Every structure is written in C-alpha cells, then in structure tokens.
Amino acid sequence: MFSTLSKFFRWFILLLIIILVSCRSTRKASSSFAGLERVFKVTPYPQDSTGDPEAGFRYMTTGGMVGNGIPWEVNKKFFGTAPDTITYREGLNASLPYTSTAFEVEPGQVVVNGNCFTCHSQRLNGKVVLGLGNSFSDYTRSMKRMMQGFNFLVKNKYGKNSREWEIYEEQGKWFEAIAAATVMPNPGLNPAFRLEEATAAYRNPNDLTFRKDPSFKLDKPSIGTDVPALWHLQKKEALYYTGVGRGDYTKLLMQVTMLGMHDSTQARQIQRNFKDVIAWINQIEPPAYPWDIDQKLALEGQEVFLTNCSKCHGTYEADHESYPNRIIPISKIQTDDAYALYNMNTPLFDWFNRSWFKNSGPQTDGKPSYGYMAPPLDGIWATAPYLHNGSVPTLYALLDSKKRPAYWERSGDSHDYDPENVGWNYTERNNGKGEWTYDTTQPGSGNMGHYFGDRLSERERKAVLEYLKTL
C-alpha cells in the first residue's frame, strides 16, 4: 500500500512540476518583452545637449509642433477666445489659452491645436506650474460628438472641395478615432498611450502617411495614468512608467505630434525642434514646498529614507545626489499591473519598432516590461495623487496602505491641499458616484501595492513625510 502511495505521490509531484513549468512558460510567452522577475537598471543612452531652452519654450507655445489642427475661425466659433495670462504670447496666440497654439500650416492657413501644457501643467494653490502633470483633466466622457461637431463645422463652413477641408480632413478622422478610444474610468487619468495607439493605427509605419483603414484594433478597456512631472526627465534614462521608451528623447517625446503631422518628412522637421524642447525641460525646477517644515523631524526622516527608500528612488543630498533608474518587477512592487500588461500586449510597440521612429536615426526603441520604474521624487509634494494611476490621494496614505480609501472625492479646487498628509484633501465615499470621485475598483485603477511604508513606525512615517517636503 505504501509502495502504491509512494508511486502515486511521485507521479503527482511529477505532474505538478509539469503544470508549474507549463504555467511559467505560458507566463513568459505572454510576457515576451522580457517579463520581469527581478529588479534591473536601465542602460543610459547619450542625449543631445545642444538645444536652446528659450527656443524650446517658443516652439512649445507658438510653433507647429502638432503639425495640423482645427481651422482658426472654426476653433474661435467653437471655443471663443480668452487672453493668455500665463505665457503672454503675441499675435493670434495672445487670445488663446496658454494650453493651445495657433500656427500656420501654409501661407494663409492658420490652425489651432493643443500643446505640451494641455497635459503638462496644472494650477497648484492657484498658480500655474509649467511642467507639472495635470491631475485635473477629465476624460471620463466621450468626446466623439464634439469631434464630429468639428468635422461638420469645417466641412459646412468651407465646403468639401476647399483647401481648408483638404488640410483638415485627416485630422478630423483621427479626432473621431481617438474620441472613441480615450474614455477613462476615473477623472485625472490621462489616455496618452491610447491616443498614440489610435493615431498610429491609421499611419503607415515607414513614412507615417495616413491610411484609410486602421492596421490594428484597440483592446478594451482603456487604461490611463497619472501625468508625470516633466522635470523627472532630467534624471530618467527611460521614459514612461514602465520604462518602455528607450533611446533618443527627441523622437520619444514627439510621438504626440502624430495627431497632426502629415508624413515622416514633416516628422523630421519636428524632431529637430525637440532638442530645444528637451533643453527647456532640462532647466525647469520643481516648486518649493510653500508651508513650514519641521527641519529637525525632516533630518530624522532623511535617515529613515536613506535606509528604506533610496535604493529605488535615489538620494537627494546636495553633495551626493543620485538616481538609480531601476525598474521594479510587479512581484516586488505589487501595484496594479493592468498598465504594465497593457504596454506589453498593445500592438503599438510592434508598430513602433517597425516604424520611422525606430528605423531612422537617432536611435529609439520600445521595450515594455512587467514592472514599473521607481520615479525620482523631486517636487513630490506637488505631484499628488500618487502611484502610476493616481489612485492614492496623499503621501501619508501611500506610506500606510490601511489609510487608502477605495472611493475618494476631491473638490477640483487647486487650493484644496492637505499640507499635513501631503496631497489632496478628500472625502471618503461609499461608491464611485460623483464628478471628482476616484473609484479604485475600476480596471487599472487599483490602489494596492507599494507596501514598503507599512513596516515603518508612525514616528518614522511622519519623519519621512517631513523629509519628502524638502525635495
């Protein structure tokens, strides 16, 4: 009997091993972009440092970086005008919000489109911070009808045989495509990669020209992220939350211009200007914490931080500043993995690695991984909410997972800040209903993971918070 049981047990163990190996192989197959089981450091790539910051700012605010847009008169009718009280531009741009730019696509043909500051700026305590990720954007409603309205107005005003419609037509088709694809499950989430997917699907990869039918379909649901601060670019060796963007930053950052560019010839012109954009980004500074800081407690928190946090997030002493550029596997960070999986499975990076972006100089590459890049923490007090999906309203809740609300509502007022807990004031809710309510039960919006702060004492946690205010 024991011999029979022993034989059965051996067969059972063998079968179990086969199943486990099979499951492991299946996971690796689904994670064919080098699925992560370990922490690894991103290899540096030399960036062009010859750009002019002032020229970069002019290009961001007045240049044709998006390549195309809505005819000036149609934009004026739809949105009206408003004085630019932030960047104080001249000409037609003086009557546009600083997040939009008017530019000529050819003599006599002026169009309007968004610029970098649509997503990479935000009011904080009433003051606009250029380069700060916009956590107050709201993509929870479909913009399809609005985009269809643009198309109708342009065609109706100028006629389908007009030069204005000829210039705009491709833009209008992209507008409709992205409108259907960029609906987000929560306010504050940004559909940047979704937008790129929708535009790339209608582009020939080699020369970036428009194609009538999409080359791939977009999976559902849409997964978005919190918008990172631009000044993080100064330290990172790879872009985006998963470190998927490798190589030259000019081509990686300009991908948003696929919204309007006509072809790879125009793309090259835009790319050359982006070395100036990067020069501007490399000289911006995060805002200083505006309230009192307990310096003695912050010094205590620095020691706790160095022991517990610096291995992933770097060091910030004036005479010894470092950033490790490490991608942390999901098995270690344990945060919501939907965005990482989305990056690994989207057709976008297959398209990207066959496209002009990858196959022309300077070098770029799309390398998704099953993990997230631990971000630099410069100006972290200003970058609430936290985690890659903006699911945690305060740093205190990030450092104590038991304090994270499942449903939380903020006012949308940039003054409504919580200096004590470092983040947004919020009201905890029983469900996801409410205009500014974040529902962490939605796909890709989970607030789990990053449990490292749970092992700290309350005193240590408060000390770390005080130290983070100084960064």
Side-chain angles (χ1 to χ4, degrees), residues 8 13 69 71 102 135 142 200 202 235 246-247 262 321 351 367 377 383 408 412:
F8 173 81
I13 292 297
S135 71
S142 173
Y202 285 89
K235 293 184 174 182
R246 310 289 179 86
H262 297 297
E321 190 166 358
W351 179 93
K367 292 185 176 180
L377 302 182
T383 63
W408 53 277

Side-chain angles (χ1 to χ4, degrees), residues 229-298:
L230 284 179
W231 53 78
H232 288 174
L233 203 72
Q234 299 166 11
K235 293 184 174 182
K236 295 179 69 174
E237 299 289 356
L239 293 189
Y240 318 120
Y241 283 105
T242 61
V244 63
R246 310 289 179 86
D248 185 84
Y249 281 180
T250 60
K251 290 171 77 178
L252 292 169
L253 287 176
M254 66 168 283
Q255 289 175 64
V256 68
T257 67
M258 285 199 296
L259 271 172
M261 72 172 74
H262 297 297
D263 53 31
S264 56
T265 300
Q266 188 181 28
R268 179 61 69 192
Q269 296 169 350
I270 293 170
Q271 181 265 326
R272 292 186 182 116
N273 284 295
F274 260 74
K275 68 179 181 180
D276 295 328
V277 172
I278 289 174
W280 180 81
I281 292 172
N282 283 337
Q283 54 83 53
I284 60 176
E285 296 286 341
Y289 186 78
W291 296 280
D292 293 336
I293 297 175
D294 184 334
Q295 296 296 338
K296 184 178 179 180
L297 186 60

Side-chain angles (χ1 to χ4, degrees), residues 42-321:
V42 175
T43 303
Y45 180 85
Q47 303 295 332
D48 189 324
S49 59
T50 63
D52 177 353
E54 291 187 9
F57 187 72
R58 286 197 302 273
Y59 187 64
M60 293 168 76
T61 55
T62 64
M65 58 178 291
V66 186
N68 202 350
I70 303 164
W72 166 260
E73 290 297 332
V74 172
N75 186 83
K76 182 179 178 181
K77 181 176 182 179
F78 207 89
F79 292 115
T81 58
D84 176 6
T85 59
I86 305 301
T87 58
Y88 298 103
R89 296 169 295 178
E90 298 178 348
L92 292 177
N93 282 305
S95 60
L96 287 176
Y98 73 99
T99 55
S100 297
T101 299
F103 54 94
E104 274 195 343
V105 289
E106 61 180 48
Q109 299 291 337
V110 177
V111 298
V112 179
N113 215 325
N115 58 41
C116 294
F117 297 128
T118 304
C119 299
H120 290 284
S121 70
Q122 179 188 285
R123 288 191 181 274
L124 185 60
N125 295 323
K127 182 180 179 180
V128 170
V129 180
L130 300 180
L132 177 62
N134 183 8
S135 71
F136 289 119
S137 60
D138 187 356
Y139 291 91
T140 57
R141 300 174 182 86
S142 173
M143 295 185 291
K144 188 170 183 176
R145 288 190 177 182
M146 182 175 72
M147 299 306 185
Q148 289 173 336
F150 288 149
N151 294 351
F152 174 80
L153 286 173
V154 175
K155 186 181 289 188
N156 186 62
K157 179 175 178 60
Y158 299 105
K160 65 179 182 179
N161 296 319
S162 66
R163 180 57 180 155
E164 287 82 0
W165 175 253
E166 185 179 358
I167 292 171
Y168 172 79
E169 186 177 11
E170 289 180 6
Q171 180 83 51
K173 291 177 180 178
W174 281 318
F175 274 165
E176 285 202 44
I178 66 173
T182 54
V183 178
M184 293 285 99
N186 278 303
L189 289 178
N190 188 280
F193 270 110
R194 199 62 161 174
L195 184 151
E196 288 188 34
E197 278 185 316
T199 52
Y202 285 89
R203 288 190 179 275
N204 294 304
N206 292 330
D207 61 6
L208 305 182
T209 54
F210 179 79
R211 57 183 297 156
K212 183 178 180 181
D213 299 311
S215 59
F216 57 83
K217 294 182 179 180
L218 306 183
D219 292 335
K220 294 182 179 181
S222 298
I223 303 294
T225 65
D226 185 51
V227 184
L230 284 179
W231 53 78
H232 288 174
L233 203 72
Q234 299 166 11
K235 293 184 174 182
K236 295 179 69 174
E237 299 289 356
L239 293 189
Y240 318 120
Y241 283 105
T242 61
V244 63
R246 310 289 179 86
D248 185 84
Y249 281 180
T250 60
K251 290 171 77 178
L252 292 169
L253 287 176
M254 66 168 283
Q255 289 175 64
V256 68
T257 67
M258 285 199 296
L259 271 172
M261 72 172 74
H262 297 297
D263 53 31
S264 56
T265 300
Q266 188 181 28
R268 179 61 69 192
Q269 296 169 350
I270 293 170
Q271 181 265 326
R272 292 186 182 116
N273 284 295
F274 260 74
K275 68 179 181 180
D276 295 328
V277 172
I278 289 174
W280 180 81
I281 292 172
N282 283 337
Q283 54 83 53
I284 60 176
E285 296 286 341
Y289 186 78
W291 296 280
D292 293 336
I293 297 175
D294 184 334
Q295 296 296 338
K296 184 178 179 180
L297 186 60
L299 191 61
E300 183 181 325
Q302 182 181 27
E303 294 302 315
V304 179
F305 179 89
L306 289 173
T307 301
N308 295 275
C309 314
S310 62
K311 187 176 180 180
C312 292
H313 290 289
T315 57
Y316 298 84
E317 295 77 31
D319 58 344
H320 182 62
E321 190 166 358

